[in-house]
Amino acid sequence: MADKPTLKKADFQSDQAIRWCPGCGDYAILAQTQKVFPEITEKKEDTVFISGIGCSSRFPYYMNTYGFHTIHGRAPTVASGLKLANPDLSVWMVTGDGDGFSIGGNHLIHLLRRNININVMLFNNRIYGLTKGQYSPTSEQGKVTYSTPMGSLDYPFKPTQLALGAQGSFVAKTIDKELKHLQNMIRRANDHNGTSFIEIYQNCNIFNDGAFGTLTDRDTKADRLLYLENGEPMIFGNDKDKGIILEGSKPKVVKIGKKYSVEDILVHDETDSLLANMLSNFTANPEFPEPLGVIYCSERPTYDDLMADQMSKANEQPKQTLDDMLKAGDTWVVK
Amino acid sequence: MAKKVNKETLDNVTIRFAGDSGDGMQLSGGRFTQTAAIVGNDLSTLPDFPAEIRAPAGSLAGVSSFQIHFSSQEIHTPGEKPDVLVAMNPAALKVHLKELKAGGTLIINKNAFNPKNLKLAGYETDPTEDGTLDDYYQAHFIEMSKLVTLACEGIELSPKLVERTKNLCALGVLFWIYDRPLEPTIDWLKNKFKNKPEIIEANTNALNAGYNYGETAELFTTRYVVEKAKLPAGRYRNMNGTLATCLGLLAAVEKSKMSLTFAGYPITPASNILHTLSNWKKFGIKTFQAEDEIAGIGAALGASFGGSLGVTASSGPGIALKGEFLGLTLITELPVVIINVQRGGPSTGLPTKTEQSDLFQAVYGRNGDAPTPVVAATTPGDCFVTTYEACRIAVKYMTPIIVLTDGYLANGSEPWMIPDSKDLNDFDVSFEKGSETDEKHQPYKRNKDTLARNWAIPGTKGLEHRIGGIEKEDGSGNVSYDSDNHEHMTYTRAQKVANIANEIPPTQVYGKEKGDLLILSWGSTHGSCKVATEKLLTEDYKVGHVSLKWINPFPSDLGKILLNYKKVIIPEINRGQLRYLIRAEYLIDAIGLNEIKGKPIGASTIVNKCKEILDG
């Protein structure tokens, strides 16, 4: 990568009018993406954005790169096929909580398990927006929506926990309002070789406004957000006076001061899958802060690299032409 | 003392090998087929196996069979009623005896007729003992299990494995009766079991034991000779539909110099395409076992977006799942080849049996006004050129295309004259070239002759563009909700598919060019219809046969041809799907012949129905 970007943010802006609702969290995510991309690539022609269906999935139309707005839930399949056909491309997938976890849940888990080198941005607004406000697989139980006037009965997924369970090799979480953090997660996903999964909390101001209010309000967010830094203790709070410790196998929030010092606080290790599983379980748990950052990052061979190995190994086999193949096996001549 | 043996020459013979799923009948049939091919007979085969991998041993549900029709003349079907039935156990006898010709030859493994197996097959008395068979058939009760045990004495092999060689013993008996060489089978065994000398020895001994039994037993007094067939001059090999389909894809790769990405999900009877292609990586073919059928076509489409030829294969239930993606492929106008190896439906239906009932699904099975080219293969060997042409047309016209084969074509085989790759149509691919200018790329700019849009692939500088399932503005490819544009695009997509008729060679009519009755077939009913036509012509009926490959679009000369006959009959293994399409397109009162029994329609059934129409 060049020290100084040759492309500008404007180079990544397409000429299409953006049709999200005014005030939608998607605008911020798009802007941060367009801002970061000049840093992470010099060749926008090698970048492809692939999406499914939903508000978030309109994203590719607004990026002046190659793009494919596919069908509901199926973006991982198209992204996988594209990446296998041309591993040199930088493939980004944009999906939502309905697209990625409901109709497309199967594809997403298999993408993570295979570890194809694709970056997934999952916009989680805990609601169906484009179909006008039904509960989603990440909505809290009891949610009153058009389809659940007496409250939803479904128990929600915890996206990062699901991604870890699906053997994701890079799992991170961020939020639409934390612009620098969001940019940083995009950079980190780009750097990771393998499937990178970023859950982005995104406010739908029409159908689920304030779903992440306590995480974004000035008054509450410091006590509710835990910024993860690799190798750093898990400290949070307005006065940086709270931390996470382990009691036996159980995490606990403690106050740093008389009884506990900074040295007692649990240190984040991105490569520790047990720790990652514990942190992913903090989601929507009032006892704990919401962890933001890279929860887990550990490289293992990617499907695309393994396939390239097999292809080159196969290439060492004796050469045969089409006519050799047509004539193979037992043949006989009729005169 | 040598016994006196007569030699008799026959034109054609049909043999059916039947036994328990674990008895190795597909192998016996396969080896007999290969030998018939090497001897130079024309042949056609029909394997038939249960959907269960191992139904309870000895049960009726567990019977597996393999039929081969071989001849010194040209043949087009795997035969109807067999002349010879090999029954390895009572259940096989029970299931297949009713189809053996009267006076036909029965070869029975006597040792399997024990009380337990007889009970499982529902026999109250032992048919090999009560004389019921001898009255109607030339029945030979051979103690095959005992023969192989004796033949394998001294080989260090468990009794169970020795018992399993009895299919080779049965094969040996048939090789003696039909005067066939043993060497090709012995060579095959040596190659197949390279590192297992005891298995080679046991199977070879079993084969010889069967052959020698024919030689020495007093039971057989006649050997039969089926001479070489007078096929058109050329080099031949035995070819099944699955391999032919895969070779068609390989030919597309080699002729176009494109890479090919095959993505599929396991399903009977299409999985063997995935298996075969997975061995061909050295040709640049990438294979991907997807998590489901939807992912199979999705990955194929993704590959095509990237400039590789995307291919997927499945059978009816899987194709149903791919429906939404077919629509996306169609509206984004990218080439994807979808192969449907049809099986009995609806739903899970008859997974291992053949049927032609997915024609409506292929032609109509999508939401919206969604015309998709549909082409069907007519014989196992024809799967080669059909698949190749499908790939070529998909790329030339930037469209998904559905290739219909079926269980019979995929698993059946015939001698195939090996084509020269030079004789295939040229397959040119051109991707849009990159541009440094500011002129905006027009992803939906079309070729005037074909109406195909240009193909600009990611990685090409200056051609960045977005496509998707929302209606496009023609030319720019931008999202458009404009009503006039939508109508224009709907007609443009239909016209593009209609233009493919320009690629279809003139329709060949077999038999009378004008007459009383046209037999119109599509896909795999080709063989039976051709045989029926031959028979009717020898009896001076004024009939012709047209074998359709292209269903969408129809060949442009088809309408005229239909008018050259007083009546049109359409035999199909469904309730009349092509008949419906022909009636709708040409306003012709076509007559149906519909038999939906999970197997090819017999030529005699067609002959009888035609005579009923012509004589009536």
PDB file of all heavy atoms in Angstrom, chain A residues 45 65-67 69 84 107 114 318 320 323 325-326 331-332 334, chain B residues 234-237 282 286 291 421 440 459-460 465-468:
ATOM      1  N   GLU A  45     -11.069  -0.990  -8.788  1.00  0.00           N
ATOM      2  CA  GLU A  45     -11.623  -1.989  -9.707  1.00  0.00           C
ATOM      3  C   GLU A  45     -11.480  -3.418  -9.155  1.00  0.00           C
ATOM      4  O   GLU A  45     -12.106  -4.337  -9.648  1.00  0.00           O
ATOM      5  CB  GLU A  45     -10.962  -1.895 -11.097  1.00  0.00           C
ATOM      6  CG  GLU A  45      -9.476  -2.233 -11.166  1.00  0.00           C
ATOM      7  CD  GLU A  45      -8.578  -1.011 -10.950  1.00  0.00           C
ATOM      8  OE1 GLU A  45      -9.055  -0.020 -10.345  1.00  0.00           O
ATOM      9  OE2 GLU A  45      -7.409  -1.051 -11.373  1.00  0.00           O
ATOM     10  N   THR A  65     -17.607   1.063  -6.851  1.00  0.00           N
ATOM     11  CA  THR A  65     -16.730  -0.088  -7.102  1.00  0.00           C
ATOM     12  C   THR A  65     -17.586  -1.056  -7.901  1.00  0.00           C
ATOM     13  O   THR A  65     -18.666  -0.703  -8.331  1.00  0.00           O
ATOM     14  CB  THR A  65     -16.312  -0.754  -5.785  1.00  0.00           C
ATOM     15  OG1 THR A  65     -17.500  -1.242  -5.135  1.00  0.00           O
ATOM     16  CG2 THR A  65     -15.596   0.208  -4.853  1.00  0.00           C
ATOM     17  N   TYR A  66     -17.107  -2.265  -8.097  1.00  0.00           N
ATOM     18  CA  TYR A  66     -18.012  -3.283  -8.635  1.00  0.00           C
ATOM     19  C   TYR A  66     -18.994  -3.658  -7.531  1.00  0.00           C
ATOM     20  O   TYR A  66     -18.632  -3.637  -6.338  1.00  0.00           O
ATOM     21  CB  TYR A  66     -17.245  -4.515  -9.112  1.00  0.00           C
ATOM     22  CG  TYR A  66     -16.571  -4.290 -10.456  1.00  0.00           C
ATOM     23  CD1 TYR A  66     -15.265  -3.817 -10.535  1.00  0.00           C
ATOM     24  CD2 TYR A  66     -17.265  -4.535 -11.638  1.00  0.00           C
ATOM     25  CE1 TYR A  66     -14.664  -3.586 -11.765  1.00  0.00           C
ATOM     26  CE2 TYR A  66     -16.661  -4.305 -12.875  1.00  0.00           C
ATOM     27  CZ  TYR A  66     -15.369  -3.844 -12.935  1.00  0.00           C
ATOM     28  OH  TYR A  66     -14.776  -3.621 -14.150  1.00  0.00           O
ATOM     29  N   GLY A  67     -20.216  -3.999  -7.918  1.00  0.00           N
ATOM     30  CA  GLY A  67     -21.213  -4.322  -6.901  1.00  0.00           C
ATOM     31  C   GLY A  67     -22.289  -5.249  -7.421  1.00  0.00           C
ATOM     32  O   GLY A  67     -22.564  -5.289  -8.629  1.00  0.00           O
ATOM     33  N   HIS A  69     -26.118  -6.504  -6.055  1.00  0.00           N
ATOM     34  CA  HIS A  69     -27.242  -6.516  -5.121  1.00  0.00           C
ATOM     35  C   HIS A  69     -28.017  -7.796  -5.436  1.00  0.00           C
ATOM     36  O   HIS A  69     -28.714  -7.869  -6.443  1.00  0.00           O
ATOM     37  CB  HIS A  69     -28.080  -5.261  -5.398  1.00  0.00           C
ATOM     38  CG  HIS A  69     -29.314  -5.112  -4.555  1.00  0.00           C
ATOM     39  ND1 HIS A  69     -30.470  -4.548  -5.038  1.00  0.00           N
ATOM     40  CD2 HIS A  69     -29.574  -5.440  -3.271  1.00  0.00           C
ATOM     41  CE1 HIS A  69     -31.395  -4.520  -4.095  1.00  0.00           C
ATOM     42  NE2 HIS A  69     -30.878  -5.061  -3.010  1.00  0.00           N
ATOM     43  N   LEU A  84     -13.925 -17.486  -5.170  1.00  0.00           N
ATOM     44  CA  LEU A  84     -13.271 -18.712  -5.627  1.00  0.00           C
ATOM     45  C   LEU A  84     -12.850 -18.580  -7.085  1.00  0.00           C
ATOM     46  O   LEU A  84     -11.792 -19.047  -7.486  1.00  0.00           O
ATOM     47  CB  LEU A  84     -14.201 -19.919  -5.457  1.00  0.00           C
ATOM     48  CG  LEU A  84     -14.604 -20.218  -4.013  1.00  0.00           C
ATOM     49  CD1 LEU A  84     -15.446 -21.476  -3.942  1.00  0.00           C
ATOM     50  CD2 LEU A  84     -13.370 -20.371  -3.121  1.00  0.00           C
ATOM     51  N   HIS A 107     -26.327 -19.790   4.995  1.00  0.00           N
ATOM     52  CA  HIS A 107     -25.165 -19.431   4.166  1.00  0.00           C
ATOM     53  C   HIS A 107     -24.085 -18.745   4.998  1.00  0.00           C
ATOM     54  O   HIS A 107     -22.898 -18.993   4.811  1.00  0.00           O
ATOM     55  CB  HIS A 107     -25.597 -18.516   3.025  1.00  0.00           C
ATOM     56  CG  HIS A 107     -26.703 -19.086   2.203  1.00  0.00           C
ATOM     57  ND1 HIS A 107     -26.600 -20.324   1.602  1.00  0.00           N
ATOM     58  CD2 HIS A 107     -27.933 -18.619   1.909  1.00  0.00           C
ATOM     59  CE1 HIS A 107     -27.732 -20.579   0.958  1.00  0.00           C
ATOM     60  NE2 HIS A 107     -28.559 -19.570   1.136  1.00  0.00           N
ATOM     61  N   ARG A 114     -16.017 -22.011   6.511  1.00  0.00           N
ATOM     62  CA  ARG A 114     -15.046 -22.268   5.437  1.00  0.00           C
ATOM     63  C   ARG A 114     -13.866 -21.307   5.510  1.00  0.00           C
ATOM     64  O   ARG A 114     -12.792 -21.603   5.014  1.00  0.00           O
ATOM     65  CB  ARG A 114     -15.721 -22.113   4.074  1.00  0.00           C
ATOM     66  CG  ARG A 114     -16.701 -23.217   3.763  1.00  0.00           C
ATOM     67  CD  ARG A 114     -17.156 -23.152   2.313  1.00  0.00           C
ATOM     68  NE  ARG A 114     -18.177 -24.147   2.079  1.00  0.00           N
ATOM     69  CZ  ARG A 114     -19.465 -23.886   1.895  1.00  0.00           C
ATOM     70  NH1 ARG A 114     -19.887 -22.639   1.873  1.00  0.00           N
ATOM     71  NH2 ARG A 114     -20.335 -24.849   1.701  1.00  0.00           N
ATOM     72  N   PRO A 318       0.062 -35.210 -15.147  1.00  0.00           N
ATOM     73  CA  PRO A 318       0.417 -35.232 -16.572  1.00  0.00           C
ATOM     74  C   PRO A 318      -0.601 -34.451 -17.404  1.00  0.00           C
ATOM     75  O   PRO A 318      -1.793 -34.524 -17.156  1.00  0.00           O
ATOM     76  CB  PRO A 318       0.372 -36.721 -16.921  1.00  0.00           C
ATOM     77  CG  PRO A 318       0.530 -37.439 -15.626  1.00  0.00           C
ATOM     78  CD  PRO A 318      -0.023 -36.541 -14.565  1.00  0.00           C
ATOM     79  N   GLN A 320      -3.056 -33.396 -20.286  1.00  0.00           N
ATOM     80  CA  GLN A 320      -3.944 -34.092 -21.214  1.00  0.00           C
ATOM     81  C   GLN A 320      -4.733 -33.058 -21.991  1.00  0.00           C
ATOM     82  O   GLN A 320      -5.086 -32.013 -21.454  1.00  0.00           O
ATOM     83  CB  GLN A 320      -4.923 -34.989 -20.452  1.00  0.00           C
ATOM     84  CG  GLN A 320      -4.325 -36.332 -20.042  1.00  0.00           C
ATOM     85  CD  GLN A 320      -5.329 -37.162 -19.253  1.00  0.00           C
ATOM     86  OE1 GLN A 320      -5.764 -36.748 -18.195  1.00  0.00           O
ATOM     87  NE2 GLN A 320      -5.685 -38.307 -19.774  1.00  0.00           N
ATOM     88  N   ASP A 323      -8.971 -33.823 -26.518  1.00  0.00           N
ATOM     89  CA  ASP A 323      -9.082 -35.033 -27.342  1.00  0.00           C
ATOM     90  C   ASP A 323      -8.576 -36.272 -26.601  1.00  0.00           C
ATOM     91  O   ASP A 323      -9.136 -37.357 -26.758  1.00  0.00           O
ATOM     92  CB  ASP A 323      -8.369 -34.845 -28.688  1.00  0.00           C
ATOM     93  CG  ASP A 323      -9.193 -33.939 -29.616  1.00  0.00           C
ATOM     94  OD1 ASP A 323     -10.364 -34.284 -29.867  1.00  0.00           O
ATOM     95  OD2 ASP A 323      -8.683 -32.895 -30.039  1.00  0.00           O
ATOM     96  N   MET A 325      -8.943 -36.769 -23.478  1.00  0.00           N
ATOM     97  CA  MET A 325     -10.033 -37.126 -22.555  1.00  0.00           C
ATOM     98  C   MET A 325     -11.196 -37.769 -23.304  1.00  0.00           C
ATOM     99  O   MET A 325     -11.840 -38.684 -22.808  1.00  0.00           O
ATOM    100  CB  MET A 325     -10.520 -35.873 -21.809  1.00  0.00           C
ATOM    101  CG  MET A 325      -9.505 -35.289 -20.851  1.00  0.00           C
ATOM    102  SD  MET A 325      -9.072 -36.428 -19.519  1.00  0.00           S
ATOM    103  CE  MET A 325     -10.526 -36.260 -18.468  1.00  0.00           C
ATOM    104  N   LEU A 326     -11.460 -37.258 -24.497  1.00  0.00           N
ATOM    105  CA  LEU A 326     -12.557 -37.840 -25.278  1.00  0.00           C
ATOM    106  C   LEU A 326     -12.238 -39.284 -25.660  1.00  0.00           C
ATOM    107  O   LEU A 326     -13.122 -40.129 -25.704  1.00  0.00           O
ATOM    108  CB  LEU A 326     -12.817 -37.004 -26.549  1.00  0.00           C
ATOM    109  CG  LEU A 326     -13.349 -35.580 -26.331  1.00  0.00           C
ATOM    110  CD1 LEU A 326     -13.407 -34.808 -27.653  1.00  0.00           C
ATOM    111  CD2 LEU A 326     -14.728 -35.605 -25.683  1.00  0.00           C
ATOM    112  N   THR A 331     -11.486 -48.202 -26.137  1.00  0.00           N
ATOM    113  CA  THR A 331     -12.092 -47.735 -27.390  1.00  0.00           C
ATOM    114  C   THR A 331     -11.937 -48.824 -28.452  1.00  0.00           C
ATOM    115  O   THR A 331     -11.129 -49.731 -28.304  1.00  0.00           O
ATOM    116  CB  THR A 331     -11.416 -46.453 -27.909  1.00  0.00           C
ATOM    117  OG1 THR A 331     -10.081 -46.770 -28.290  1.00  0.00           O
ATOM    118  CG2 THR A 331     -11.405 -45.354 -26.849  1.00  0.00           C
ATOM    119  N   TRP A 332     -12.720 -48.742 -29.500  1.00  0.00           N
ATOM    120  CA  TRP A 332     -12.588 -49.675 -30.606  1.00  0.00           C
ATOM    121  C   TRP A 332     -12.938 -48.961 -31.902  1.00  0.00           C
ATOM    122  O   TRP A 332     -13.604 -47.929 -31.883  1.00  0.00           O
ATOM    123  CB  TRP A 332     -13.452 -50.919 -30.399  1.00  0.00           C
ATOM    124  CG  TRP A 332     -14.931 -50.672 -30.449  1.00  0.00           C
ATOM    125  CD1 TRP A 332     -15.744 -50.857 -31.531  1.00  0.00           C
ATOM    126  CD2 TRP A 332     -15.780 -50.198 -29.392  1.00  0.00           C
ATOM    127  NE1 TRP A 332     -17.048 -50.529 -31.210  1.00  0.00           N
ATOM    128  CE2 TRP A 332     -17.099 -50.122 -29.912  1.00  0.00           C
ATOM    129  CE3 TRP A 332     -15.556 -49.821 -28.064  1.00  0.00           C
ATOM    130  CZ2 TRP A 332     -18.173 -49.704 -29.148  1.00  0.00           C
ATOM    131  CZ3 TRP A 332     -16.640 -49.396 -27.304  1.00  0.00           C
ATOM    132  CH2 TRP A 332     -17.933 -49.342 -27.847  1.00  0.00           C
ATOM    133  N   VAL A 334     -14.576 -48.975 -35.704  1.00  0.00           N
ATOM    134  CA  VAL A 334     -15.487 -49.587 -36.674  1.00  0.00           C
ATOM    135  C   VAL A 334     -15.070 -49.075 -38.044  1.00  0.00           C
ATOM    136  O   VAL A 334     -14.911 -47.870 -38.228  1.00  0.00           O
ATOM    137  CB  VAL A 334     -16.955 -49.198 -36.373  1.00  0.00           C
ATOM    138  CG1 VAL A 334     -17.879 -49.695 -37.486  1.00  0.00           C
ATOM    139  CG2 VAL A 334     -17.384 -49.759 -35.026  1.00  0.00           C
TER     140      VAL A 334
ATOM    141  N   GLY B 234     -15.723 -45.227 -37.471  1.00  0.00           N
ATOM    142  CA  GLY B 234     -15.135 -44.275 -36.530  1.00  0.00           C
ATOM    143  C   GLY B 234     -14.600 -44.991 -35.314  1.00  0.00           C
ATOM    144  O   GLY B 234     -14.689 -46.216 -35.204  1.00  0.00           O
ATOM    145  N   ARG B 235     -14.009 -44.196 -34.404  1.00  0.00           N
ATOM    146  CA  ARG B 235     -13.545 -44.774 -33.141  1.00  0.00           C
ATOM    147  C   ARG B 235     -14.636 -44.590 -32.099  1.00  0.00           C
ATOM    148  O   ARG B 235     -15.242 -43.524 -32.006  1.00  0.00           O
ATOM    149  CB  ARG B 235     -12.243 -44.096 -32.690  1.00  0.00           C
ATOM    150  CG  ARG B 235     -11.689 -44.661 -31.382  1.00  0.00           C
ATOM    151  CD  ARG B 235     -10.319 -44.117 -31.052  1.00  0.00           C
ATOM    152  NE  ARG B 235      -9.272 -44.694 -31.878  1.00  0.00           N
ATOM    153  CZ  ARG B 235      -8.695 -45.884 -31.664  1.00  0.00           C
ATOM    154  NH1 ARG B 235      -9.062 -46.625 -30.634  1.00  0.00           N
ATOM    155  NH2 ARG B 235      -7.766 -46.328 -32.464  1.00  0.00           N
ATOM    156  N   TYR B 236     -14.888 -45.664 -31.357  1.00  0.00           N
ATOM    157  CA  TYR B 236     -15.984 -45.650 -30.398  1.00  0.00           C
ATOM    158  C   TYR B 236     -15.502 -45.907 -28.976  1.00  0.00           C
ATOM    159  O   TYR B 236     -14.449 -46.513 -28.760  1.00  0.00           O
ATOM    160  CB  TYR B 236     -17.009 -46.752 -30.729  1.00  0.00           C
ATOM    161  CG  TYR B 236     -17.900 -46.434 -31.899  1.00  0.00           C
ATOM    162  CD1 TYR B 236     -17.426 -46.556 -33.210  1.00  0.00           C
ATOM    163  CD2 TYR B 236     -19.211 -46.020 -31.714  1.00  0.00           C
ATOM    164  CE1 TYR B 236     -18.239 -46.268 -34.295  1.00  0.00           C
ATOM    165  CE2 TYR B 236     -20.039 -45.744 -32.788  1.00  0.00           C
ATOM    166  CZ  TYR B 236     -19.547 -45.867 -34.077  1.00  0.00           C
ATOM    167  OH  TYR B 236     -20.363 -45.580 -35.139  1.00  0.00           O
ATOM    168  N   ARG B 237     -16.300 -45.454 -28.017  1.00  0.00           N
ATOM    169  CA  ARG B 237     -16.147 -45.907 -26.653  1.00  0.00           C
ATOM    170  C   ARG B 237     -17.553 -46.002 -26.051  1.00  0.00           C
ATOM    171  O   ARG B 237     -18.501 -45.444 -26.594  1.00  0.00           O
ATOM    172  CB  ARG B 237     -15.276 -44.942 -25.829  1.00  0.00           C
ATOM    173  CG  ARG B 237     -15.936 -43.603 -25.571  1.00  0.00           C
ATOM    174  CD  ARG B 237     -14.984 -42.603 -24.930  1.00  0.00           C
ATOM    175  NE  ARG B 237     -14.805 -42.874 -23.505  1.00  0.00           N
ATOM    176  CZ  ARG B 237     -14.304 -41.977 -22.640  1.00  0.00           C
ATOM    177  NH1 ARG B 237     -13.945 -40.769 -23.073  1.00  0.00           N
ATOM    178  NH2 ARG B 237     -14.156 -42.271 -21.372  1.00  0.00           N
ATOM    179  N   LYS B 282      -7.076 -30.119 -12.941  1.00  0.00           N
ATOM    180  CA  LYS B 282      -5.920 -29.726 -13.755  1.00  0.00           C
ATOM    181  C   LYS B 282      -6.335 -28.992 -15.027  1.00  0.00           C
ATOM    182  O   LYS B 282      -5.518 -28.355 -15.674  1.00  0.00           O
ATOM    183  CB  LYS B 282      -5.057 -30.936 -14.093  1.00  0.00           C
ATOM    184  CG  LYS B 282      -5.704 -31.920 -15.032  1.00  0.00           C
ATOM    185  CD  LYS B 282      -4.699 -32.993 -15.417  1.00  0.00           C
ATOM    186  CE  LYS B 282      -5.395 -34.116 -16.146  1.00  0.00           C
ATOM    187  NZ  LYS B 282      -4.488 -35.195 -16.486  1.00  0.00           N
ATOM    188  N   LYS B 286     -12.894 -25.607 -11.206  1.00  0.00           N
ATOM    189  CA  LYS B 286     -12.994 -25.546  -9.750  1.00  0.00           C
ATOM    190  C   LYS B 286     -14.342 -26.125  -9.335  1.00  0.00           C
ATOM    191  O   LYS B 286     -15.356 -25.787  -9.960  1.00  0.00           O
ATOM    192  CB  LYS B 286     -12.895 -24.097  -9.269  1.00  0.00           C
ATOM    193  CG  LYS B 286     -11.509 -23.507  -9.501  1.00  0.00           C
ATOM    194  CD  LYS B 286     -11.455 -22.044  -9.109  1.00  0.00           C
ATOM    195  CE  LYS B 286     -10.047 -21.509  -9.376  1.00  0.00           C
ATOM    196  NZ  LYS B 286      -9.974 -20.070  -9.191  1.00  0.00           N
ATOM    197  N   GLU B 291     -23.414 -25.551   0.604  1.00  0.00           N
ATOM    198  CA  GLU B 291     -24.168 -25.971   1.782  1.00  0.00           C
ATOM    199  C   GLU B 291     -25.611 -26.327   1.452  1.00  0.00           C
ATOM    200  O   GLU B 291     -26.278 -26.988   2.242  1.00  0.00           O
ATOM    201  CB  GLU B 291     -24.126 -24.900   2.877  1.00  0.00           C
ATOM    202  CG  GLU B 291     -24.705 -23.539   2.483  1.00  0.00           C
ATOM    203  CD  GLU B 291     -23.666 -22.620   1.850  1.00  0.00           C
ATOM    204  OE1 GLU B 291     -22.654 -23.127   1.345  1.00  0.00           O
ATOM    205  OE2 GLU B 291     -23.889 -21.385   1.859  1.00  0.00           O
ATOM    206  N   SER B 421     -12.448 -32.721 -31.406  1.00  0.00           N
ATOM    207  CA  SER B 421     -12.746 -31.421 -30.799  1.00  0.00           C
ATOM    208  C   SER B 421     -12.804 -30.311 -31.848  1.00  0.00           C
ATOM    209  O   SER B 421     -13.467 -29.306 -31.653  1.00  0.00           O
ATOM    210  CB  SER B 421     -11.715 -31.098 -29.715  1.00  0.00           C
ATOM    211  OG  SER B 421     -10.441 -30.991 -30.288  1.00  0.00           O
ATOM    212  N   LYS B 440     -18.769   6.938 -19.266  1.00  0.00           N
ATOM    213  CA  LYS B 440     -19.355   6.036 -18.287  1.00  0.00           C
ATOM    214  C   LYS B 440     -19.665   4.679 -18.922  1.00  0.00           C
ATOM    215  O   LYS B 440     -20.230   4.595 -20.008  1.00  0.00           O
ATOM    216  CB  LYS B 440     -20.622   6.668 -17.713  1.00  0.00           C
ATOM    217  CG  LYS B 440     -20.902   6.156 -16.316  1.00  0.00           C
ATOM    218  CD  LYS B 440     -21.987   6.927 -15.654  1.00  0.00           C
ATOM    219  CE  LYS B 440     -22.727   6.139 -14.602  1.00  0.00           C
ATOM    220  NZ  LYS B 440     -22.297   4.835 -14.266  1.00  0.00           N
ATOM    221  N   GLY B 459     -12.236  -6.274 -11.599  1.00  0.00           N
ATOM    222  CA  GLY B 459     -10.801  -6.321 -11.845  1.00  0.00           C
ATOM    223  C   GLY B 459     -10.442  -5.501 -13.069  1.00  0.00           C
ATOM    224  O   GLY B 459      -9.277  -5.201 -13.302  1.00  0.00           O
ATOM    225  N   THR B 460     -11.460  -5.136 -13.870  1.00  0.00           N
ATOM    226  CA  THR B 460     -11.204  -4.349 -15.076  1.00  0.00           C
ATOM    227  C   THR B 460     -11.356  -2.864 -14.759  1.00  0.00           C
ATOM    228  O   THR B 460     -12.415  -2.413 -14.316  1.00  0.00           O
ATOM    229  CB  THR B 460     -12.205  -4.717 -16.195  1.00  0.00           C
ATOM    230  OG1 THR B 460     -12.382  -6.134 -16.220  1.00  0.00           O
ATOM    231  CG2 THR B 460     -11.730  -4.225 -17.533  1.00  0.00           C
ATOM    232  N   HIS B 465     -19.197  -1.087 -12.009  1.00  0.00           N
ATOM    233  CA  HIS B 465     -20.640  -0.926 -12.148  1.00  0.00           C
ATOM    234  C   HIS B 465     -21.347  -1.826 -11.155  1.00  0.00           C
ATOM    235  O   HIS B 465     -20.741  -2.721 -10.585  1.00  0.00           O
ATOM    236  CB  HIS B 465     -21.095  -1.251 -13.578  1.00  0.00           C
ATOM    237  CG  HIS B 465     -20.918  -2.697 -13.939  1.00  0.00           C
ATOM    238  ND1 HIS B 465     -19.708  -3.239 -14.322  1.00  0.00           N
ATOM    239  CD2 HIS B 465     -21.793  -3.738 -13.958  1.00  0.00           C
ATOM    240  CE1 HIS B 465     -19.846  -4.532 -14.563  1.00  0.00           C
ATOM    241  NE2 HIS B 465     -21.101  -4.861 -14.348  1.00  0.00           N
ATOM    242  N   ARG B 466     -22.623  -1.553 -10.961  1.00  0.00           N
ATOM    243  CA  ARG B 466     -23.426  -2.312 -10.003  1.00  0.00           C
ATOM    244  C   ARG B 466     -24.578  -2.986 -10.736  1.00  0.00           C
ATOM    245  O   ARG B 466     -25.214  -2.358 -11.600  1.00  0.00           O
ATOM    246  CB  ARG B 466     -24.008  -1.392  -8.917  1.00  0.00           C
ATOM    247  CG  ARG B 466     -23.079  -1.048  -7.772  1.00  0.00           C
ATOM    248  CD  ARG B 466     -21.864  -0.199  -8.119  1.00  0.00           C
ATOM    249  NE  ARG B 466     -22.168   1.085  -8.726  1.00  0.00           N
ATOM    250  CZ  ARG B 466     -21.273   1.852  -9.330  1.00  0.00           C
ATOM    251  NH1 ARG B 466     -19.995   1.479  -9.407  1.00  0.00           N
ATOM    252  NH2 ARG B 466     -21.640   2.994  -9.885  1.00  0.00           N
ATOM    253  N   ILE B 467     -24.814  -4.242 -10.410  1.00  0.00           N
ATOM    254  CA  ILE B 467     -25.980  -4.919 -10.973  1.00  0.00           C
ATOM    255  C   ILE B 467     -26.782  -5.516  -9.821  1.00  0.00           C
ATOM    256  O   ILE B 467     -26.306  -5.568  -8.682  1.00  0.00           O
ATOM    257  CB  ILE B 467     -25.589  -6.032 -11.978  1.00  0.00           C
ATOM    258  CG1 ILE B 467     -24.644  -7.047 -11.322  1.00  0.00           C
ATOM    259  CG2 ILE B 467     -24.984  -5.439 -13.229  1.00  0.00           C
ATOM    260  CD1 ILE B 467     -24.406  -8.273 -12.155  1.00  0.00           C
ATOM    261  N   GLY B 468     -27.971  -5.970 -10.118  1.00  0.00           N
ATOM    262  CA  GLY B 468     -28.794  -6.553  -9.066  1.00  0.00           C
ATOM    263  C   GLY B 468     -30.144  -6.976  -9.583  1.00  0.00           C
ATOM    264  O   GLY B 468     -30.411  -6.920 -10.785  1.00  0.00           O
TER     265      GLY B 468
END
